[in-house]
Amino acid sequence: QQPVQSPQAVILREGEDAVINCSSSKALYSVHWYRQKHGEAPVFLMILLKGGEQKGHDKISASFNEKKQQSSLYLTASQLSYSGTYFCGTEYGMDSSYKLIFGSGTRLLVRP
Amino acid sequence: SQTIHQWPATLVQPVGSPLSLECTVEGTSNPNLYWYRQAAGRGLQLLFYSVGIGQISSEVPQNLSASRPQDRQFILSSKKLLLSDSGFYLCAWRLSVGSGEAFFGQGTRLTVV
């Protein structure tokens, strides 16, 4: 049930763009995105519900492709503060909507 | 406003000793509560979740257990710790309705020696 994230790690120069993918073999009800700094708790970025919506948060946006059961997180014009580990969390339907299952994470390092 | 408290922040325990980690939420009622574990450099593994007092669902069979004695209190326990229990333990809560975001506590870094 654990979603699969790719890539496992990304190194960027400040100002470059990145895409992080999250895919599931089961039908998704919602996808959450979080960012975790080293040694800290994960911080919420955004939620996407099934319906193929796209959301944006400053220069970070995400899409949800219901047909492919896949979500992508887009980081545009990356800043040093974007460094951290990004996790997608998935729910598989209202009957199991209490569970939030996370992927293994994508480590992002933004260099000056 | 809602807050989540988790303690202790760090813990060093010998193999075979018991464990009790506590998490409490303030400012909301009947939250869904979660325990996650994160091994060094790894992802967030869901251990237990609870939708109400006394209602615990286990995701991974192991020597850990969880209890919810009060509406906003979630406890993670072990009778005998193993070396493999080392990790970063995170408690989280969500509203009981809708697909809302999860709010995480600051975590407990457990080292079993």
Side-chain angles (χ1 to χ4, degrees), chain A residues 39, chain B residues 6-12 21 87-89 106-111:
Chain B
Q6 189 180 340
W7 67 92
T10 59
L11 192 60
V12 179
L21 301 181
F88 191 43
Y89 288 80
Q106 289 306 299
T108 295
R109 188 161 302 283
L110 172 67
T111 303

Side-chain angles (χ1 to χ4, degrees), chain B residues 17-59:
Chain B
S17 64
L19 173 74
S20 180
L21 301 181
E22 189 164 343
C23 171
T24 60
V25 180
E26 296 178 356
T28 188
S29 297
N30 194 32
N32 291 339
L33 297 172
Y34 305 81
W35 278 112
Y36 291 92
R37 178 171 64 195
Q38 189 174 29
R42 305 294 294 274
L44 298 165
Q45 180 188 32
L46 178 62
L47 301 176
F48 302 94
Y49 67 98
S50 171
V51 300
I53 296 175
Q55 300 180 60
I56 309 294
S57 295
S58 173
E59 286 298 296

Side-chain angles (χ1 to χ4, degrees), chain A residues 1 29-30 32 34 36 39-42 44 47 49 87 91 97-104 107, chain B residues 32 34 36 38 41-44 46 49 51 59 88 90 94 96 99-102 104-106 109:
Chain A
Q1 285 189 347
Y29 176 73
S30 71
H32 299 219
Y34 294 78
Q36 184 183 33
E40 300 180 3
F44 171 77
I47 292 176
L49 302 178
F87 292 98
E91 290 180 292
S97 62
Y98 307 121
K99 291 201 294 186
L100 185 57
I101 309 293
F102 287 93
S104 56
R107 291 187 178 184
Chain B
N32 291 339
Y34 305 81
Y36 291 92
Q38 189 174 29
R42 305 294 294 274
L44 298 165
L46 178 62
Y49 67 98
V51 300
E59 286 298 296
F88 191 43
L90 288 157
R94 299 173 67 196
S96 58
S99 184
E101 67 182 277
F104 287 86
Q106 289 306 299
R109 188 161 302 283

Side-chain angles (χ1 to χ4, degrees), chain A residues 54-98:
Chain A
Q54 185 157 349
K55 281 193 172 182
H57 177 71
D58 194 10
K59 293 182 180 178
I60 300 175
S61 62
S63 62
F64 182 8
N65 188 319
E66 190 177 342
K67 288 184 179 180
K68 292 184 177 180
Q69 303 305 324
Q70 181 177 328
S71 177
S72 296
L73 186 70
Y74 306 95
L75 304 162
T76 306
S78 59
Q79 306 168 15
L80 296 177
S81 61
Y82 286 3
S83 293
T85 301
Y86 289 78
F87 292 98
C88 69
T90 52
E91 290 180 292
Y92 294 100
M94 288 302 291
D95 59 342
S96 60
S97 62
Y98 307 121

Side-chain angles (χ1 to χ4, degrees), chain B residues 61-101:
Chain B
Q62 55 204 331
N63 69 318
L64 298 173
S65 62
S67 62
R68 185 170 177 172
Q70 300 180 42
D71 181 43
R72 291 168 289 178
Q73 184 185 29
F74 207 20
I75 298 172
L76 183 69
S77 304
S78 174
K79 292 182 179 179
K80 289 185 178 182
L81 284 169
L82 306 173
L83 286 174
S84 57
D85 291 325
S86 293
F88 191 43
Y89 288 80
L90 288 157
C91 179
W93 74 271
R94 299 173 67 196
L95 291 173
S96 58
V97 291
S99 184
E101 67 182 277

